[in-house]
Amino acid sequence: QQQVKQSPQSLIVQKGGISIINCAYENTAFDYFPWYQQFPGKGPALLIAIRPDVSEKKEGRFTISFNKSAKQFSLHIMDSQPGDSATYFCAASMKGSARQLTFGSGTQLTVLP
Amino acid sequence: NAGVTQTPKFRILKIGQSMTLQCAQDMNHNYMYWYRQDPGMGLKLIYYSVGAGITDKGEVPNGYNVSRSTTEDFPLRLELAAPSQTSVYFCASSYLNTEAFFGQGTRLTVV
């Protein structure tokens, strides 16, 4: 089963706080784990991605933590801003599959001013 | 640089009608994909293509057809529309192992 399970479904954070979204996968053949950000009425856009040979990747305020043994990865948004309010999707893909993305169900993040 | 362009943006169909969702990319990407997004369900892959003339089914292909006659275009055909096909449809493209770029989406309602 090529599932990716994402939680929470929704998240409300105060400005300046830390937002944490978690994902778990089942297929150990996955070797690429991107996070997408989607604003209302727009298509998803790549935010940050990680491969399983590293345990953490940081880009600005966004960090992916990856736990290969637990088959889990998470997105941390530091110093969350109202402009970060969006829906976030984790995803996974593997070699030899034309990089088809298997998506989590999404997390609607609201950052209060 | 337009990226991935989808038309139309919105469409209402009656049950049993047919339509084609258009997708074009100008990045010379070899891989193209069609996903549908239902509320609370994430995006699910309908069909994908690894190059002109080559298409394959994704997770939810029933009720849809695709073709890929050129590198740039990847239309999605709905035959005999059903209420279960009410969704937001996204086309995406990528080059080998690089990131996938998504279009703005087509919001389809079948009544």
Side-chain angles (χ1 to χ4, degrees):
Chain A
Q1 187 79 5
Q2 294 190 16
Q3 277 190 329
V4 177
K5 294 183 180 179
Q6 183 172 347
S7 63
Q9 189 173 13
S10 63
L11 181 61
I12 300 175
V13 173
Q14 293 285 340
K15 178 182 176 181
I18 302 174
S19 304
I20 302 175
I21 304 170
N22 300 299
C23 284
Y25 63 97
E26 298 174 0
N27 190 340
T28 55
F30 287 142
D31 67 347
Y32 176 67
F33 302 89
W35 283 90
Y36 280 82
Q37 181 186 55
Q38 184 181 31
F39 292 104
K42 303 294 185 183
L46 180 68
L47 186 64
I48 186 172
I50 197 169
R51 297 190 185 272
D53 52 345
V54 296
S55 60
E56 186 176 281
K57 182 175 181 179
K58 183 176 181 179
E59 290 183 2
R61 296 185 294 109
F62 302 92
T63 300
I64 299 179
S65 297
F66 186 83
N67 186 329
K68 188 174 181 178
S69 60
K71 293 188 286 186
Q72 294 175 347
F73 59 110
S74 60
L75 176 69
H76 296 235
I77 306 175
M78 311 299 289
D79 187 26
S80 298
Q81 299 296 311
D84 296 331
S85 297
T87 300
Y88 293 81
F89 293 95
C90 62
S93 73
M94 58 185 168
K95 276 191 294 190
S97 68
R99 287 298 172 192
Q100 301 169 42
L101 290 165
T102 299
F103 282 88
S105 54
T107 296
Q108 187 165 356
L109 172 66
T110 302
V111 181
L112 300 175
Chain B
N1 193 356
V4 178
T5 302
Q6 291 184 237
T7 56
K9 287 186 170 49
F10 303 93
R11 182 73 185 267
I12 298 175
L13 275 184
K14 293 185 178 179
I15 295 172
Q17 287 185 320
S18 301
M19 76 163 293
T20 299
L21 282 66
Q22 301 292 343
C23 176
Q25 53 95 5
D26 62 359
M27 297 174 282
N28 202 31
H29 286 170
N30 52 338
Y31 295 166
M32 294 188 75
Y33 316 84
W34 275 105
Y35 291 88
R36 59 176 286 172
Q37 182 177 27
D38 300 314
M41 299 291 289
L43 286 81
K44 293 193 182 297
L45 183 66
I46 304 171
Y47 270 95
Y48 67 98
S49 168
V50 299
I54 306 170
T55 63
D56 209 343
K57 296 178 181 179
E59 184 181 355
V60 290
N62 291 344
Y64 307 94
N65 277 300
V66 294
S67 60
R68 183 103 182 264
S69 57
T70 67
T71 299
E72 295 78 19
D73 300 299
F74 191 40
L76 177 71
R77 178 82 176 163
L78 277 71
E79 304 283 1
L80 298 174
S84 61
Q85 293 177 305
T86 294
S87 188
V88 182
Y89 292 84
F90 288 100
C91 178
S93 72
S94 70
Y95 181 71
L96 295 178
N97 290 326
T98 61
E99 72 172 278
F101 290 84
F102 285 78
Q104 299 275 298
T106 295
R107 184 174 295 274
L108 175 68
T109 302
V110 182
V111 296

